[in-house]
């Protein structure tokens, strides 16, 4: 039996009696808070409110060691083909280290264009400064830039950003009707340059621009940029080569915010702030690669997730940021973890015998307290929660921010300790798990750390499950059938034929 299987068996045994643990008692232990919290510059991680005692923690750390997480991370950093099914390396982490060569060239090009747009050097066809930027992209070509620009809105000093991803006419036309075409820049962001939604929306927006500006080949005008790994496709669309920013195939969409996909963010917050964001990611990488597993925030967050997901039967976990402008972080983490680790075949091409990625969901506090927290407190399902807070918010007000922080703390305490009541309907059982991530303030540097933290957590869980976090073959079938139906090809099976008839899809 391998060491890893032995440890897995130990954890199964420990899980059988975990229900006897009391968070209230565990947190009564004098050393608990120091042993179950970690502080690195700008981030406090409190993992004391969990059904985990020292013995369980030590065994989980053994599992990390036996899964060779760091060795696998170094393989990735050295450019090995860790993305086996696509025969690719995964280079998002190198985008945060001292990059050189092609990556450096691409970053400098993005920076030059960003500053030229911000300082008015790069003007519109009517020789005006751009006031609005529309990013057309979906999945990793939207969620990263949207999350970072929203979280860092206090640093916004360039054109106003808008994100279009779904082929939803109301959303698209209400945006276009609100904009001045003559000062609007369009970024067509698609790593593959084939995503149907993105290309369809781009045509609509391009037609709008052409009509408003009375320019025929508007995609070769100064109003159009592309971000892609397939430069040839963008050139054949008529976008000038100098207005095509590229990223390597080895950067996965959901890991691409550090690359040219970050272009809209740079036009908004500037390249200095974007460099700070990258530096924060680098600092978290150093922490991840250099810290012992028991002192390693990404690894511990991964192990806590494994404990509930693989041993205590949780099916999901919730991300609850207590800052409205961190709401898009939930969508970002959802794609990052569920598209990376929603797999069932191992790196050895065998069915995975355990379960893998949990369902990731959530909503910002305090709204979530008035929607799903009832289930978290008194429901029958065990749902761990990541509570994310910011100690100092320059955009808020003392009284308001104090209430936000008190709410985060109040919920963590109520979930963990509960309260017995004679009336059984009023009793809160407690022992409901939560991790707390507390940032000093929401700066580019701290946000970079937070994003890299979840990336490295995702990687660590994949290493434990022995799966490939960098491919996403599961989404291809749906895309193919969609393309067939969109082009008028009849579905093969009866259920599909009945459905498109009900939809009147053939009448479009
Ligand atoms: O959802 C599948 C996916 O390929 C994601 O991995 C990716 O981020 C998204 O679609 C968009 O892909 P592209 O950037 O190639 O348009």
């Amino acid at each position: 039996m391998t060491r890893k299987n032995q440890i897995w068996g130990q954890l199964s045994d420990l899980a059988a009696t975990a229900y006897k643990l009391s968070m209230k008692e565990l947190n009564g232990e004098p050393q608990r808070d120091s042993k179950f919290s970690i502080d690195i510059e700008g981030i406090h991680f409190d993992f004391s409110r969990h059904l985990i005692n020292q013995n369980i923690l030590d065994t989980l750390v053994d599992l990390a060691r036996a899964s060779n997480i760091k060795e696998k991370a170094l393989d990735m950093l050295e450019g090995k083909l860790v993305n086996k099914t696509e025969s690719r390396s995964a280079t998002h982490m190198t985008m945060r280290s001292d990059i050189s060569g092609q990556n450096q060239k691409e970053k400098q090009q993005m920076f030059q264009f960003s500053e030229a747009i911000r300082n008015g050097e790069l003007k519109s066809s009517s020789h005006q400064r751009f006031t609005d930027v529309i990013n057309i992209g979906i999945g990793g070509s939207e969620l990263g830039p949207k999350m970072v620009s929203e979280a860092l809105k206090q640093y916004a000093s360039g054109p106003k950003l808008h994100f279009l991803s779904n082929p939803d006419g109301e959303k698209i036309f209400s945006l276009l009707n609100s904009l001045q075409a003559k000062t609007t820049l369009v970024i067509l962001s698609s790593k593959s340059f084939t995503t149907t939604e993105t290309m369809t929306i781009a045509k609509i927006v391009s037609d709008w621009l052409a009509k408003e500006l009375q320019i025929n080949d508007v995609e070769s005008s100064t109003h159009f940029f592309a971000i892609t790994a397939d430069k040839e496709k963008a050139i054949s669309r008529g976008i000038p080569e100098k207005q095509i920013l590229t990223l390597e195939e080895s950067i996965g969409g959901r890991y691409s915010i550090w690359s040219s996909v970050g272009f809209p963010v740079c036009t908004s917050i500037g390249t200095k702030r974007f460099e700070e964001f990258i530096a924060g990611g680098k600092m978290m990488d150093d922490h991840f690669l250099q810290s012992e597993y028991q002192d390693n925030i990404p690894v511990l967050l991964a192990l806590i997730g494994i404990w509930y997901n693989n041993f205590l039967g949780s099916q999901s976990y919730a991300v609850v940021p207590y800052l409205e402008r961190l709401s898009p972080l939930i969508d970002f983490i959802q794609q990052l973890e569920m598209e990376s680790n929603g797999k069932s075949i191992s790196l050895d091409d065998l069915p995975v015998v355990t379960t893998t990625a949990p369902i990731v969901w959530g909503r910002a506090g305090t709204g979530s307290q008035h929607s799903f927290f009832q289930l978290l407190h008194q429901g029958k399902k065990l749902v761990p929660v990541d509570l994310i807070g910011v100690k100092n918010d320059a955009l808020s007000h003392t009284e308001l921010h104090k209430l936000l922080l008190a709410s985060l703390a109040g919920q963590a305490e109520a979930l963990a300790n509960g309260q017995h009541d004679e009336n059984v309907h009023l009793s809160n059982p407690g022992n409901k798990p939560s991790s707390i991530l507390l940032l000093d303030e929401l700066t580019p540097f701290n946000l970079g750390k937070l994003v890299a933290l979840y990336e490295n957590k995702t990687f660590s869980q994949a290493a434990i499950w022995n799966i490939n976090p960098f491919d996403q073959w599961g989404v291809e079938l749906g895309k193919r059938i969609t393309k067939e139906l969109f082009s008028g090809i009849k579905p093969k099976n009866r259920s599909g034929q009945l459905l498109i008839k009900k939809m009147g899809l053939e009448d479009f």
Side-chain angles (χ1 to χ4, degrees), residues 158-424:
K160 187 168 167 39
L161 297 188
H162 312 275
F163 292 89
L164 291 178
S165 53
N166 284 328
D168 178 315
E170 184 281 324
K171 165 107 184 187
I172 295 164
F173 294 120
S174 57
L175 173 65
L176 297 182
N177 293 335
S178 72
L179 297 177
Q180 294 284 331
K182 58 181 186 303
T183 56
T184 295
L185 178 77
V186 177
I187 298 174
L188 208 181
S189 183
S190 176
K191 183 183 164 191
S192 62
F193 228 72
T194 60
T195 302
T196 307
E197 302 96 311
T198 304
M199 297 305 148
T200 306
I201 296 169
K203 174 77 174 59
I204 297 287
V205 175
S206 168
D207 289 349
W208 167 76
L209 261 181
K211 180 169 171 286
E212 294 290 314
L213 301 176
Q214 290 301 298
I215 301 178
N216 290 331
D217 51 350
V218 73
E219 295 193 8
S220 61
S221 79
T222 179
H223 289 260
F224 238 91
F225 273 76
I227 304 170
T228 185
D230 193 327
K231 192 171 192 174
E232 291 318 307
K233 282 201 180 81
I235 290 171
S236 64
R237 193 182 169 103
I239 299 173
E241 189 167 350
K242 67 176 172 46
Q243 289 167 220
I244 300 170
L245 303 182
T246 53
L247 66 151
E248 301 295 285
E249 279 292 2
S250 57
I251 296 180
R254 52 195 175 272
Y255 297 90
S256 63
I257 180 58
W258 318 95
S259 73
S260 300
V261 170
F263 180 39
V265 180
C266 286
T267 66
S268 171
I269 67 172
T271 55
K272 175 176 171 295
R273 298 297 187 185
F274 195 78
E275 288 272 38
E276 291 166 5
F277 169 70
I278 292 177
K282 170 77 169 68
M283 191 252 186
M284 183 53 72
D285 290 341
D286 292 344
H287 168 74
F288 171 54
L289 294 167
Q290 294 161 15
S291 303
E292 294 301 320
Y293 286 126
Q294 63 272 22
D295 304 321
N296 195 309
I297 300 179
V299 170
L300 288 168
L301 208 52
L303 292 171
I304 291 166
I306 294 276
W307 175 238
Y308 292 106
N309 186 65
N310 287 83
F311 295 96
L312 297 193
S314 291
Q315 297 288 310
S316 76
Y317 88 94
V319 177
V320 181
Y322 273 77
L323 209 57
E324 204 60 41
R325 59 186 187 276
L326 277 176
S327 293
L329 179 67
I330 302 165
D331 294 341
F332 174 83
I333 294 171
Q334 190 175 62
Q335 183 201 12
L336 175 64
E337 294 196 20
M338 295 179 74
E339 193 165 78
S340 293
N341 292 340
K343 310 285 170 67
S344 51
I345 302 295
S346 74
L347 285 168
D348 306 321
D349 305 333
L350 297 169
V352 179
V353 292
T354 65
T355 185
T356 52
I359 294 159
V360 184
W361 58 287
R363 184 185 170 194
T366 61
S368 45
Q369 296 168 198
H370 304 271
S371 66
F372 56 75
F373 266 65
Q374 164 58 35
L375 182 144
L376 301 184
H377 284 289
Q378 289 187 329
K380 293 290 285 181
K381 291 185 172 55
L382 188 64
V383 183
V385 187
D386 283 7
L387 298 169
I388 299 171
V390 176
K391 277 173 74 175
N392 306 295
D393 182 9
L395 300 186
S396 188
H397 168 284
T398 310
E399 203 63 11
L400 291 171
H401 197 59
K402 183 179 173 185
L403 180 54
L404 262 187
L405 291 176
S407 301
L408 189 161
Q411 292 303 322
E413 283 295 285
L415 286 166
N417 304 321
Q419 175 180 282
H420 178 71
D421 192 294
E422 290 313 312
N423 178 338
V424 285

Side-chain angles (χ1 to χ4, degrees), residues 465-485:
W465 291 317
N466 189 35
I467 56 178
N468 176 0
F470 300 118
D471 61 6
Q472 56 285 319
W473 294 107
V475 301
E476 294 312 314
L477 177 60
K479 285 181 177 179
R480 180 173 60 75
I481 298 174
T482 300
K483 273 187 176 167
E484 288 171 0
L485 297 180

